[in-house]
């Protein structure tokens, strides 16, 4: 039933459907945060300046723009399951920085929902960086479509 042919990447492992639902929820959360940042860019710039790191203070508007569009684009790619592992790896530093010095400045407590949400998103990013996007994804569709076009006979079956 479940075969692990490649123990590092788990490429031939069939993901459960609930993991696909979690991937879609993760994409929606990242898109939602991207729209939130897009709506209120001044808040992100202020949070970056609170960190008291000169590199971030000088480039806060550029970083706010970058973080906003990275969340929007990355959330969309994770939602549809396209380049999921790479996008998760790209998103991880942004979430780690958010957990590290932006959310910790608000205080670490159970009532801090932004910190809890950031930790959950980081855990999900790690999970999908390891497991990939699953069967119900654009990655799987393009992999199968390309495979069908490269193997002899498959393309001719479509046109007959």
């Amino acid at each position: 039933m479940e075969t692990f042919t490649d123990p590092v990447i788990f490429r031939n492992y069939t993901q459960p459907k609930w993991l696909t639902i979690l991937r879609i929820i993760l994409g929606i959360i990242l898109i939602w945060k991207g729209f939130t940042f897009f709506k209120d860019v001044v808040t992100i710039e202020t949070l970056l300046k609170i960190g008291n790191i000169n590199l971030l203070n000088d480039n806060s508007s550029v970083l706010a723009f970058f973080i906003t569009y990275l969340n929007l684009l990355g959330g969309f790619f994770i939602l549809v399951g396209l380049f999921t592992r790479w996008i998760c790896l790209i998103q991880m530093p942004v979430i780690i920085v958010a957990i590290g010095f932006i959310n910790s400045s608000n205080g670490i407590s159970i009532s801090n929902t932004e910190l809890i949400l950031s930790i959950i998103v980081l855990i999900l990013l790690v999970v999908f960086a390891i497991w990939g996007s699953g069967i119900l994804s654009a990655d799987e569709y393009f992999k199968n479509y390309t495979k069908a076009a490269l193997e002899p006979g498959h393309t001719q079956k479509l046109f007959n």
Side-chain angles (χ1 to χ4, degrees), residues 4-155:
F4 294 100
T5 58
D6 190 1
V8 177
I9 302 176
F10 305 113
R11 288 190 185 210
N12 291 336
Y13 179 72
T14 304
Q15 276 188 1
K17 301 290 187 234
W18 61 269
L19 206 52
T20 301
I21 293 170
L22 278 180
R23 188 198 79 229
I24 292 170
I25 291 171
L26 174 63
I28 291 170
I29 289 171
L30 288 174
I31 290 172
W32 169 66
K33 290 305 285 183
F35 278 125
T36 304
F37 293 155
F38 189 70
K39 188 174 69 174
D40 195 12
V41 176
V42 177
T43 303
I44 301 173
E45 291 180 18
T46 306
L47 289 173
L48 290 171
K49 289 179 181 179
I50 289 173
N52 292 328
I53 299 174
N54 290 333
L55 176 68
L56 297 180
N57 287 339
D58 297 339
N59 301 320
S60 63
S61 61
V62 174
L63 286 173
F65 174 81
F66 180 71
I67 289 169
T68 301
Y69 284 100
L70 186 66
N71 276 332
L72 286 172
L73 191 62
F76 176 73
F77 278 175
I78 290 173
L79 177 70
V80 297
L82 186 62
F83 306 120
T84 304
R85 289 186 177 148
W86 288 105
I87 297 297
C88 287
L89 290 174
I90 291 170
Q91 288 281 341
M92 278 185 213
V94 174
I95 300 299
I96 289 171
V97 167
I99 290 171
F101 71 89
I102 294 175
N103 284 328
S104 64
S105 66
N106 295 337
I108 298 175
S109 67
I110 299 299
S111 64
N112 190 356
T113 57
E114 282 292 320
L115 179 63
I116 294 170
L117 181 66
S118 297
I119 290 171
I120 290 170
V121 166
L122 180 63
I123 291 169
L124 288 175
L125 287 172
V126 169
V127 165
F128 291 113
I130 294 170
W131 289 99
S133 57
I135 293 175
L136 186 62
S137 66
D139 283 338
E140 190 70 23
Y141 173 77
F142 288 129
K143 184 175 76 172
N144 290 335
Y145 180 75
T146 305
K147 182 179 178 184
L150 292 178
E151 292 179 356
H154 289 290
T155 309

